[in-house]
Amino acid sequence: MSQSVQPTPPSVPSSGSREPTEGHTRPAAGQPADEPTRVHVEHTVTVDADAEAVFALVADVERWPLIFPPTVHAEYLERAPAEGGTERLRLWATANGAVRCWTSRREVDPSRLSITFGQERPAAPIAAMGGEWIVRPDSDGGTEVVLTHDYAAVGDDAETLAWLEEAVDTNSRAELAALAAAAGRNGAEGADGAEGADGADGRLGFTFRDTVHIEGTLVQVYAFLDRAEHWPERLPHVARVALTEDVPGLQILEMDTRTADGSSHTTRSVRICTAPDRIRYKQLLTPALLRVHTGVWLLVEDEHGVTATSEHTVVIETDAISKVLGEDATPAQARALVRDALSRNSAATLNRAKAFVEGASGV
């Protein structure tokens, strides 16, 4: 529930595996009598990592899609300076199978290793939602992380308070568990920017891009990428697509993709479609070798047409390397295989978009 996610009753998806301590709930102190009852809850986990490194993970919300499974995309509207201060964020995340978007305001204090947060405009039946991340070194050389929440329901509605309590507890436990796991892995898997095709350095997280120039308009190219329900007829590597778009621009895309050996695998992604120039996505169901896969289709128009780029950021699933590639396989080999497979599909999609648009425009 960090960053004041708007939950959906009766439950919110889990985002981790390590169990933090039991949450503690009580009415918030100093509350005016005419306001809804504010509930205060705390969850705690001990992390085997340096406190400053853990705080950096909490502070950098742009990395959250690589850490917390429900977080699809996060961006700064206003960013706090290095010495701390106020910032505003927009986040997209899954909740009970749906995609939610909200804006939070945070006060970042690096000197205290703390961040307070609150939802800017809570929507009924939530009257208020906020809290604090507190990161502090412990006596054993690790780090204690405390995640607090303060929330209220419109009219103190008992049913709303019940599902808020469940949602806050479920997500807080999951987020702290995922944070603890990510802090332990951080040295090996932080995405390291664009890289060559061989992935020779063996890092588990990396970013790469493929680009094609298309002689057409921004609207034409965007439409090809946006309307993925037509991909089975347009893309030879796509066998099946199921596209759901309950809110314009927020899509759930399930797709069966044919692989080079003739087999197929199923992926499920959330897509944030921002016309006319970008589509961001995160896979919720990934192939065996991938722990995380996020990406963006980015379009830039000039007088010569459109430059279309497919960018992927992936994190290799360490435990799957030997199962998929054999006992002697290395992370670098896994990187190279993933880079080749994803790039092959991206290039195929971009080249088909090029042929479709240029054919449609008579070029």
Side-chain angles (χ1 to χ4, degrees):
M1 294 294 292
S2 59
Q3 308 320 307
S4 313
V5 65
Q6 181 82 25
T8 298
S11 63
V12 174
S14 172
S15 61
S17 59
R18 183 173 169 181
E19 187 76 5
T21 61
E22 193 73 32
H24 304 286
T25 305
R26 64 180 184 273
Q31 176 181 306
D34 58 346
E35 291 187 2
T37 302
R38 294 181 70 101
V39 178
H40 178 84
V41 60
E42 295 184 3
H43 292 80
T44 304
V45 72
T46 300
V47 180
D48 186 17
D50 178 76
E52 283 74 17
V54 175
F55 180 78
L57 293 178
V58 176
D60 187 2
V61 296
E62 290 179 330
R63 286 200 62 201
W64 281 21
L66 303 180
I67 298 172
F68 302 129
T71 304
V72 176
H73 178 60
E75 60 188 36
Y76 289 97
L77 302 177
E78 302 171 20
R79 192 163 192 163
E83 64 271 19
T86 302
E87 62 187 19
R88 295 174 65 243
L89 319 168
R90 181 174 292 128
L91 298 99
W92 288 259
T94 57
N96 200 30
V99 186
R100 303 285 173 176
C101 177
W102 68 95
T103 301
S104 284
R105 182 178 297 273
R106 307 204 308 179
E107 293 293 331
V108 182
D109 188 343
S111 65
R112 292 181 56 245
L113 299 182
S114 68
I115 300 173
T116 60
F117 59 88
Q119 195 177 83
E120 284 196 333
R121 287 181 292 276
I126 299 176
M129 175 68 74
E132 185 175 16
W133 291 93
I134 303 167
V135 179
R136 54 196 177 211
D138 66 17
S139 58
D140 296 325
T143 298
E144 181 185 61
V145 181
V146 180
L147 176 57
T148 76
H149 285 89
D150 293 278
Y151 59 85
V154 174
D156 287 336
D157 179 75
E159 183 177 357
T160 301
L161 285 169
W163 64 254
L164 269 171
E165 180 180 1
E166 180 182 358
V168 168
D169 184 66
T170 300
N171 262 25
S172 296
R173 290 170 177 271
E175 287 185 343
L176 289 175
L179 178 66
R185 298 189 304 258
N186 190 40
E189 70 179 28
D192 57 340
E195 50 86 39
D198 60 353
D201 68 5
R203 288 172 64 88
L204 300 177
F206 59 105
T207 297
F208 60 93
R209 303 171 185 90
D210 296 290
T211 299
V212 169
H213 185 267
I214 301 173
E215 297 181 31
T217 68
L218 202 62
V219 171
Q220 290 173 310
V221 181
Y222 181 86
F224 185 96
L225 298 172
D226 177 48
R227 301 328 307 170
E229 67 267 32
H230 299 303
W231 284 3
E233 301 90 56
R234 297 175 176 176
L235 301 177
H237 63 278
V238 176
R240 181 188 67 90
V241 161
L243 182 68
T244 303
E245 190 171 0
D246 295 332
V247 177
L250 293 180
Q251 300 178 349
I252 302 292
L253 174 63
E254 184 171 293
M255 182 168 64
D256 292 345
T257 302
R258 298 184 181 96
T259 59
D261 62 6
S263 61
S264 67
H265 63 263
T266 300
T267 57
R268 185 180 303 110
S269 303
V270 173
R271 304 209 312 170
I272 304 165
C273 303
T274 309
D277 62 356
R278 70 192 60 207
I279 298 174
R280 299 186 181 276
Y281 63 88
K282 179 179 181 178
Q283 286 190 345
L284 307 179
L285 178 64
T286 60
L289 267 178
L290 296 183
R291 181 184 301 131
V292 180
H293 179 198
T294 67
V296 58
W297 300 96
L298 180 63
L299 309 178
V300 178
E301 189 174 44
D302 58 29
E303 65 271 20
H304 303 294
V306 176
T307 299
T309 299
S310 171
E311 178 180 292
H312 301 269
T313 297
V314 301
V315 179
I316 301 296
E317 179 56 77
T318 315
D319 295 340
I321 293 176
S322 61
K323 298 175 185 177
V324 176
L325 301 181
E327 292 295 331
D328 297 327
T330 65
Q333 289 174 316
R335 278 169 55 106
L337 186 148
V338 167
R339 171 69 162 91
D340 180 70
L342 293 179
S343 184
R344 187 187 312 115
N345 288 343
S346 291
T349 301
L350 291 173
N351 284 319
R352 287 283 174 153
K354 176 181 176 69
F356 182 86
V357 169
E358 292 181 353
S361 60
V363 177

